[in-house]
């Protein structure tokens, strides 16, 4: 703790830096070759936002088509199939998987460790370029007439099986390449995060002193590094199969399409946790900060992330209960799937307990966090119906599944992402967004999700199959209500883009710590210096809120004088 | 069922309910349906309890501990091992109970009964279902192929022996009223059994719906079939024989149906060449054969090409077609093909 603590600014003084990472160097070129994790994070944020808007656009188009059971409202069957493929693939590979870790994680992770950057800054920039290549390839597929295979790319359909359907090999190879490249981007980011947490963590910060967001990113990174190669290898095998006519997955050459499903879900099920764990990490930060309480059950939350990551590897067969997989295998996968419910439940209980006797401040990020609790509750609990193998037989590939995974992947992950973006927005941009509009948008998102997906559960139990461009008249009401929900959600996103962009130019200048959060990034200026911290931050527990005191809206929270003077946290050891 | 009590009433929405169904489900028409729905209700109630607890506590805390002048947070203990163990272990025990119940019913779904089980061959193709019936009261030694209609007898157990042609794609048979589903995979035979204990006519409906639930391309959402449940074998046999009799169809429809079932994997109707020449504009055209002779596409050429495809091959195409025959319905089949081809003249 040598040096740095003496020349801290006086408590009430507001620091708005004139030179910071955003303007330390100027020009487009400086951004494109930057090794600064913060700038790379901003570039990621822009790129994943483009992907989110693109995927969201397709969702709106799909929902519009489904307003009417038979007529082609906006899309023919063929284009409907392309639209849901692009919606799924763009959302999964370009938004949900990289979304939180690569944008928010990239920005926050080194700062929460009090570090200057990630361990491997060049690898970080490289992984951004890989991501952008993947994004461009997907856009290319769109301009070359799309792909109608579903994001799962199941053979034999994806590789030209069946009549009147020639595989569009150019588009397919582009999709394979994109997923392969994006996989490398994901692996490299994961590797970088693990290395950073081990090597750049300050000596006086143990693993258990890290914010839970970092534990979540750690678990996520483990999955990224271990599972992602499998999807690359699978797509590679599929290519080899068709180059040399070796039967692997394609029954025309003697291959087995169910084998592909095993390989695919061996990656894609853990990938579900790549998506949701970071959102859970954000959730832990938001709940603690905005109720001003030390998070309850820190170790349980931390280890439940690792448990989810570990169990997540052995449940892939629950995607294949009706594929022809043996009943014995099905039953075992069903059992294992129940086990993954427990660590998820533990997290939720801990978050609720954290609110106890707090002072809950309903700022926009907190509204997202509370919405997360509700939406993840529904998403998680409806997973129990699907883990139940007897019910899964009925519900598999129906709208019940669609509603379930959207509650988790959108209801929770997107909510976590939006909550995180609002939470760290002042830190990233140095500006405050409009709080009132932020709250309005958060409530709209919450209502929109429910109106969109609740009717889909019932449509599903009543037998509405997924990926249907036309449907029977009895499902009309469910679909129409769902479409209205999607429009509300769409309007909320437009509103957010509007006020967030507006804040960049007209927003109030942000204090270093507007929320009174205790993790180290809030000891930096907003926006942070190019080297993150002007002085070495005071190392303290991530939830030691008692070290901060509120001054004014203008100045936000500042460190208490005795903390600055002693350089030690006021919190008793936990 | 319990589920209806819980949530059925908020459905004041104009929902077209399936005849005989509940808020959540279509009718319980198989002997496993009630058990599957019981499992659903069991989980539903557990979920409602936990959801109310979680959301109730959250809402209560949100109101009671909202930030307001004069209210300050208190430091409370940051963990409680007993509490944390309790809320890990109790849910785990409950889930194991659910797992047990669910597995029991799943084993019922996948284990055919030991008594008499009638087999029906199912071929799933883009984008229709073909059911082949034989024996069991039907004239001996004959196959009855019916497209898009599954005929069953009430209380009789049936085993579907399902496949998909080698060059087709994965499909999945889903009969919501029976709560069963099974994929049809090219190169594999998957089996699915069920027993209808209820008939659609009990609820004033004509048939139960059968869907394809594995995405299979352009017309995936149109790959439906109808499930009929008859009261006895005599009625059933009469219905199967009638449904298999393609002569009852209008010749053009008959030809299109045959094309969809048998010809589409190698011929198109949009002018694109495939393994064989496209049917579009082919009728009445003069085609050059492999040996250089010219042949006009008329009734005789079509008949010969169906029964003995190798006799005359159009130049530029492989000799790849297998002969087709429809037993005593061959004539009406060819009549249909000819009628359909004529409509594709242009």
């Amino acid at each position: 703790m040598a040096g740095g603590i003496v020349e801290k600014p006086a408590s009430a003084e507001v620091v708005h830096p004139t030179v910071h990472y955003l303007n330390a160097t100027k020009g487009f070129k400086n951004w494109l070759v930057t090794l600064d994790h913060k700038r790379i994070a901003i570039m990621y944020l822009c790129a994943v936002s483009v992907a989110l808007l693109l995927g969201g656009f397709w969702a709106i188009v799909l929902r519009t088509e489904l307003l009417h059971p038979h007529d082609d409202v906006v899309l023919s069957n063929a284009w409907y199939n392309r639209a849901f493929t692009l919606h799924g693939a763009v959302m999964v590979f370009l938004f949900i998987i990289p979304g939180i870790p690569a944008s928010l994680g990239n920005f926050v992770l080194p700062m929460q460790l009090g570090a200057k950057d990630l361990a491997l800054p060049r690898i970080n920039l490289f992984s951004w370029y890989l991501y952008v290549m993947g994004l461009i390839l997907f856009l290319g597929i769109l301009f070359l007439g799309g792909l109608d295979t579903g994001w799962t790319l199941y053979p034999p359909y994806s590789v030209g099986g069946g009549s009147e359907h020639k595989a569009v090999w150019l588009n397919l190879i582009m999709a394979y390449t994109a997923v392969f490249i994006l996989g490398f981007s994901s692996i490299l980011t994961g590797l970088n995060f693990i290395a950073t947490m081990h090597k750049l963590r300050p000596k006086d910060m143990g693993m258990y002193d890290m914010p839970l967001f970092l534990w979540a990113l750690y678990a996520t990174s483990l999955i990224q590094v271990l599972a992602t190669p499998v999807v690359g290898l699978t797509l590679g095998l599929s290519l080899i199969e068709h180059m040399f006519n070796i039967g692997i997955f394609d029954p025309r050459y003697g291959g087995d399409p169910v084998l592909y499903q095993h390989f695919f879900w061996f990656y894609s099920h853990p990938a579900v946790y790549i998506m949701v764990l970071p959102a859970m990490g954000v959730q832990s930060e938001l709940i603690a900060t905005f109720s001003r309480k030390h998070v309850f059950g820190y170790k349980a939350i931390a280890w439940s992330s690792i448990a989810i990551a570990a169990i997540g590897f052995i449940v892939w067969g629950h995607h294949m209960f009706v594929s022809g997989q043996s009943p014995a295998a099905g039953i075992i996968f069903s059992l294992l799937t129940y086990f993954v419910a427990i660590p998820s439940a533990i997290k939720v209980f801990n978050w609720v307990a954290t609110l106890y006797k707090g002072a809950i401040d309903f700022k926009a990020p907190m509204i997202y966090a509370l919405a997360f609790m509700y939406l993840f509750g529904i998403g998680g609990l409806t997973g129990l119906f699907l883990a139940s193998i007897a019910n899964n037989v009925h519900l598999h590939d129906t709208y019940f599944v669609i509603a379930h995974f959207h509650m988790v992947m959108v209801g929770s992950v997107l909510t976590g992402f939006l909550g995180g973006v609002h939470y760290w927005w002042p830190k990233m941009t140095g500006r405050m967004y409009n709080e009132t509009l932020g709250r309005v948008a958060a409530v709209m998102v919450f209502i929109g999700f429910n109106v969109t997906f609740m009717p889909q559960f019932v449509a599903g139990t009543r037998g509405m199959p997924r990926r249907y461009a036309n449907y029977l008249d009895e499902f009309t009401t469910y679909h129409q209500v769902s479409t209205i929900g999607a429009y509300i959600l769409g309007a909320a996103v437009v509103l957010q883009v509007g006020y967030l962009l507006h804040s960049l130019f007209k927003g109030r200048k942000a204090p270093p710590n507007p929320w009174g959060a205790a993790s180290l990034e809030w000891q930096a200026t907003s926006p942070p210096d190019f080297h993150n911290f002007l002085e070495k931050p005071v190392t303290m527990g991530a939830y030691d809120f008692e070290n901060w005191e509120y001054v004014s809206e203008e100045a936000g929270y500042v460190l208490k004088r005795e903390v600055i003077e002693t350089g030690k946290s006021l919190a008793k050891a936990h | 069922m319990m589920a209806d009590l819980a949530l059925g009433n908020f459905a004041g929405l104009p929902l077209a309910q399936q005849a005989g169904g509940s808020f959540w489900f279509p009718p319980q028409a198989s002997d496993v349906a009630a058990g599957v729905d019981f499992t659903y209700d069991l989980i539903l109630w557990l979920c409602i309890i936990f959801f109310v607890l979680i959301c109730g506590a959250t809402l209560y805390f949100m109101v009671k501990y909202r930030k307001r002048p004069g209210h300050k947070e208190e430091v409370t203990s940051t963990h409680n091992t007993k509490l944390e163990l309790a809320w890990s272990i109790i849910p785990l025990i409950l889930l194991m109970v659910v797992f047990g119940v669910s597995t029991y019913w799943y084993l019922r779904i996948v284990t055919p009964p030991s008594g008499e089980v009638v087999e029906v061959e199912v071929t799933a193709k883009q984008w229709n279902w073909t059911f082949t019936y034989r024996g069991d009261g039907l004239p001996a030694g004959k196959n009855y192929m019916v497209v898009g209609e599954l005929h069953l007898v009430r209380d009789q157990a049936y085993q579907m022996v399902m496949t998909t042609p080698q060059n087709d794609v994965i499909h999945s048979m889903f009969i919501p009223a029976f709560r069963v589903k099974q994929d049809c995979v090219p190169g594999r035979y998957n089996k699915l059994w069920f027993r209808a204990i209820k008939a659609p006519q009990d609820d004033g409906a004509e048939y139960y719906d059968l869907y394809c639930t594995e995405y299979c391309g352009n017309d995936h959402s149109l790959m439906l079939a109808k499930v009929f449940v008859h009261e006895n074998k005599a009625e059933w046999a009469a219905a199967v024989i009638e449904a298999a009799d393609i002569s009852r169809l209008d010749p053009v429809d008959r030809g299109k149906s045959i094309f969809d079932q048998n010809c589409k994997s190698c011929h198109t109707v949009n002018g694109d060449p495939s393994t064989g020449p496209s049917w579009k504009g082919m009728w009445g055209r003069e085609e050059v054969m492999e040996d250089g002779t010219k042949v006009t596409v008329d009734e005789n050429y079509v008949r010969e090409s169906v029964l003995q495809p190798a006799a005359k091959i159009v130049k530029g195409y492989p000799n790849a077609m297998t002969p087709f025959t429809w037993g005593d319905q061959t004539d009406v089949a060819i009549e249909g093909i000819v009628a359909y081809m004529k409509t594709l003249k242009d």
Side-chain angles (χ1 to χ4, degrees):
Chain A
M1 196 54 58
I5 53 165
V6 188
E7 301 116 83
K8 285 259 173 184
S11 294
E13 191 180 321
V14 183
V15 178
H16 295 307
T18 48
V19 180
H20 46 75
Y21 83 99
L22 289 169
N23 63 9
T25 56
K26 287 205 167 59
F28 202 54
K29 205 187 111 207
N30 272 317
W31 277 79
L32 289 179
V33 297
T34 185
L35 298 178
D36 179 17
H37 72 101
K38 300 183 292 302
R39 285 189 165 195
I40 295 171
I42 297 294
M43 298 197 304
Y44 258 119
L45 188 61
C46 296
V48 298
S49 300
V50 168
L52 172 65
L53 294 176
L54 190 64
F57 167 76
W58 286 113
I60 296 288
V61 171
L62 288 169
R63 285 308 331 162
T64 304
E65 168 62 25
L66 292 171
L67 275 171
H68 194 277
H70 317 291
D71 292 352
D72 292 337
V73 181
V74 280
L75 299 168
S76 63
N77 288 3
W79 269 100
Y80 179 87
N81 295 340
R82 290 178 193 141
F84 79 65
T85 301
L86 284 167
H87 166 68
V90 168
M91 281 299 198
V92 168
F93 294 117
L94 292 166
F95 174 66
I96 309 181
I97 290 180
I100 296 179
S103 62
L104 301 177
N106 226 326
F107 193 97
V108 172
L109 185 142
M111 297 193 70
Q112 290 194 329
L113 295 172
K116 279 186 182 175
D117 208 315
L118 287 171
L120 308 160
R122 281 188 174 76
I123 295 284
N124 196 20
L125 183 65
F126 182 51
S127 68
W128 183 79
Y129 275 100
L130 289 177
Y131 174 86
V132 171
M133 280 166 68
L135 181 64
I136 290 170
L137 280 169
F138 266 110
L139 290 174
I141 293 167
L142 184 59
F143 287 113
L144 288 172
L147 199 64
D148 70 341
T149 60
W151 78 275
T152 48
L153 298 163
Y154 272 14
Y157 185 74
S158 64
V159 291
S163 52
E164 287 188 9
H165 177 255
K166 297 275 173 294
V168 190
W169 272 105
L170 179 62
N171 293 7
L172 189 65
I173 288 172
M174 279 170 69
Y176 278 13
T177 313
V179 173
F180 197 81
I181 289 175
L182 290 168
F184 266 100
S185 168
S186 190
I187 293 168
L188 293 175
T189 301
L191 211 57
N192 210 346
F193 281 8
I194 293 174
T196 307
M197 277 181 263
H198 281 299
K199 305 308 287 184
L200 298 186
R201 189 159 34 83
K203 287 208 167 52
D204 47 358
M205 185 192 277
M207 285 296 272
Y208 287 134
D209 298 324
M210 295 197 309
L212 285 164
F213 181 54
L214 297 191
W215 272 90
L217 288 179
Y218 192 86
T220 307
S221 302
L222 285 179
I223 309 175
Q224 284 178 315
V225 171
L226 294 175
T228 314
V230 179
V231 72
L233 290 174
T234 307
L235 299 180
L237 281 174
S238 180
L239 273 186
I240 288 170
E241 170 174 50
H242 288 90
M243 277 156 58
F244 302 110
N245 291 2
I246 305 162
I248 302 171
F249 306 130
D250 190 335
R252 289 172 296 180
Y253 307 125
D256 183 358
V258 179
L259 181 66
Y260 172 88
Q261 297 175 22
H262 276 288
F263 286 178
F264 181 81
W265 289 113
F266 187 84
Y267 162 71
S268 293
H269 193 79
V272 170
Y273 300 111
I274 295 179
M275 305 169 197
V276 79
L277 279 168
M280 290 169 156
V282 174
Q283 174 76 357
S284 299
E285 302 306 296
L286 299 185
I287 290 283
T289 299
F290 291 98
S291 56
R292 311 215 53 71
K293 280 286 301 294
H294 190 286
V295 80
F296 185 83
Y298 177 98
K299 284 187 183 173
I301 295 184
W303 280 100
S304 63
S305 291
I306 306 292
I308 289 172
I311 302 169
F313 273 99
I314 49 174
V315 298
W316 78 90
H318 70 212
H319 295 268
M320 302 166 56
F321 286 150
V322 298
S323 67
Q325 170 180 264
S326 81
I331 290 167
I332 292 167
F333 279 120
S334 168
L335 178 68
L336 293 169
T337 303
Y338 280 114
F339 291 148
V340 93
I342 299 300
S344 312
I346 289 173
K347 281 181 187 286
V348 175
F349 296 144
N350 280 306
W351 292 325
V352 176
T354 302
L355 298 174
Y356 178 66
K357 292 198 174 174
I360 300 168
D361 191 358
F362 299 101
K363 290 277 197 302
M366 186 58 167
I367 296 177
Y368 284 109
L370 293 166
F372 180 104
M373 208 98 93
Y374 171 95
L375 296 168
F376 182 73
I378 293 180
L381 289 169
T382 50
L384 300 179
F385 296 92
L386 295 168
S388 159
I389 189 164
N391 294 108
N392 185 291
V393 170
H394 177 66
L395 299 173
H396 181 81
D397 273 345
T398 66
Y399 265 66
F400 190 93
V401 175
I402 302 283
H404 158 71
F405 78 72
H406 278 89
M407 277 287 173
V408 180
M409 290 163 74
V410 195
S412 316
V413 180
L414 183 57
T415 307
F417 175 77
L418 292 173
V421 166
H422 285 80
Y423 179 60
W424 281 299
W425 189 260
K427 185 57 62 189
M428 291 192 290
T429 65
R431 301 284 182 161
M432 299 302 290
Y433 57 86
N434 183 312
E435 185 61 39
T436 311
L437 289 179
R439 288 175 182 176
V440 169
V443 172
M444 278 171 75
V445 166
F446 178 70
I447 294 171
F449 274 134
N450 283 296
V451 176
T452 309
F453 295 110
M454 292 307 261
Q456 295 188 5
F457 282 114
V458 189
T461 56
R462 296 171 67 147
M464 172 72 215
R466 68 190 284 195
R467 296 179 168 176
Y468 264 34
N470 307 281
Y471 54 88
L472 299 181
D473 294 338
E474 60 177 277
F475 298 113
T476 310
T477 308
Y478 303 105
H479 278 292
Q480 290 180 346
V481 173
S482 185
T483 301
I484 293 167
Y487 292 161
I488 298 174
L489 209 44
V493 171
V494 171
L495 177 61
Q496 283 163 346
V497 171
Y499 70 72
L500 287 177
L501 288 180
H502 178 265
S503 79
L504 289 181
F505 305 101
K506 303 274 172 155
R508 180 164 65 81
K509 286 198 170 172
N513 190 357
W515 317 124
S519 44
L520 301 190
E521 75 271 30
W522 302 103
Q523 292 185 40
T525 54
S526 295
D529 182 60
F530 181 73
H531 296 293
N532 290 351
F533 297 96
L534 295 167
E535 296 136 11
K536 188 178 183 315
V538 180
T539 308
M540 59 171 77
Y543 307 103
D544 295 349
F545 301 113
E546 48 272 69
N547 294 333
W548 294 86
E549 64 188 343
Y550 184 71
V551 176
S552 65
E553 199 179 355
E554 187 65 14
Y557 288 77
V558 294
L559 272 179
K560 288 181 181 163
R561 184 164 292 278
E562 54 263 55
V563 178
I564 298 172
E565 280 165 3
T566 60
K568 286 207 168 62
S569 174
L570 297 173
K572 287 181 228 106
H574 295 290
Chain B
M1 299 238 76
M2 292 184 285
D4 303 322
L5 291 175
L7 292 171
N9 294 335
F10 95 91
L13 299 164
L15 301 175
Q17 198 130 322
Q18 256 167 284
S22 63
F23 172 71
W24 289 108
F25 289 111
Q28 297 175 338
S30 75
D31 62 353
V32 295
V36 172
D37 294 358
F38 168 78
T39 317
Y40 184 91
D41 288 342
L42 175 70
I43 302 171
L44 183 65
W45 277 108
L46 283 176
C47 287
I48 288 172
I49 292 167
F50 275 94
F51 190 66
V52 167
L53 281 176
I54 292 167
C55 288
T58 306
L59 282 172
Y60 178 73
F61 292 162
M62 277 165 65
V63 175
K64 179 144 193 219
Y65 305 120
R66 69 187 184 281
K67 187 179 165 190
R68 57 192 186 272
H71 170 74
K72 202 174 178 322
E73 71 275 10
E74 286 174 46
V75 176
T76 53
S77 87
T78 57
H79 62 96
N80 182 325
T81 311
K82 274 184 195 159
L83 181 66
E84 290 180 61
L85 277 178
W87 71 36
S88 311
I89 291 170
I90 294 170
L92 183 63
I93 293 169
L94 293 172
L95 288 183
M96 289 305 98
V97 172
V98 171
F99 168 72
V101 174
S102 176
T103 301
Y104 171 80
W105 283 104
Y106 175 69
L107 288 172
R108 287 280 300 270
I109 294 172
V110 294
T111 316
S114 48
E116 188 207 3
V117 180
V118 177
E119 280 194 352
V120 176
E121 274 172 34
V122 180
T123 307
K125 272 193 277 194
Q126 287 172 324
W127 290 278
N128 58 54
W129 299 92
T130 305
F131 303 95
T132 305
Y133 308 85
R134 66 173 72 85
D136 200 42
L138 290 166
K142 289 180 76 173
N143 289 336
Y144 290 86
M145 287 167 64
V146 179
V147 178
E149 291 183 11
L150 174 59
H151 290 268
L152 308 170
V153 176
R154 192 197 287 261
D155 294 330
Q156 170 67 52
Y158 288 87
Q159 170 113 277
M160 306 289 119
V161 181
M162 309 192 298
T163 193
T164 292
Q166 191 87 354
N167 60 357
D168 210 274
V169 302
I170 304 175
H171 303 277
S172 189
M173 183 202 269
F174 176 35
I175 308 174
F178 295 168
R179 314 286 190 271
V180 293
K181 184 179 290 130
Q182 180 68 57
D183 285 4
C184 305
V185 182
R188 278 192 181 205
Y189 293 89
N190 281 344
K191 291 180 179 176
L192 175 68
W193 87 273
F194 42 77
R195 187 201 310 270
I197 57 166
K198 205 176 175 196
Q201 54 269 24
D202 295 353
D203 299 309
E206 205 188 333
Y207 53 83
Y208 292 131
D209 295 311
L210 183 156
Y211 302 96
C212 175
T213 46
E214 183 62 58
Y215 171 65
C216 59
N218 212 43
D219 289 346
H220 170 54
S221 61
L222 303 175
M223 189 168 160
L224 310 183
K226 300 172 178 178
V227 181
F228 296 92
V229 181
H230 302 280
E231 297 301 331
N232 55 54
K233 285 201 176 173
E235 264 180 40
W236 171 82
V240 168
I241 291 168
E242 197 203 324
D245 178 6
I246 52 174
S247 68
R248 77 200 153 91
L249 294 174
D250 166 77
V252 174
D253 291 343
R254 194 192 309 158
K256 175 153 191 344
S257 160
I258 291 169
F259 174 83
D260 284 342
Q261 270 175 270
N262 298 314
C263 316
K264 200 162 66 172
S265 48
C266 300
H267 298 276
T268 69
V269 290
N270 63 5
D272 294 342
S274 180
T275 312
S278 175
W279 287 14
K280 186 169 176 63
M282 201 181 189
W283 184 262
R285 195 165 63 197
E286 209 174 47
E287 295 277 22
V288 181
M289 296 296 130
E290 278 291 276
D291 59 5
T293 58
K294 289 181 178 173
V295 173
T296 303
V297 178
D298 59 6
E299 288 87 348
N300 282 317
Y301 175 70
V302 169
R303 186 181 179 92
E304 183 184 56
S305 297
V306 171
L307 300 176
Q308 295 165 272
K312 298 191 180 83
I313 302 290
V314 176
K315 198 175 178 75
Y317 291 96
N319 177 7
M321 182 168 150
T322 51
F324 281 84
T325 170
W326 290 264
D328 54 12
Q329 297 208 44
T330 300
D331 290 326
V332 287
I334 290 170
E335 184 196 2
I337 293 170
V338 166
Y340 181 50
M341 271 194 164
K342 282 180 180 169
T343 67
L344 299 172
K345 210 174 159 184
D346 266 339

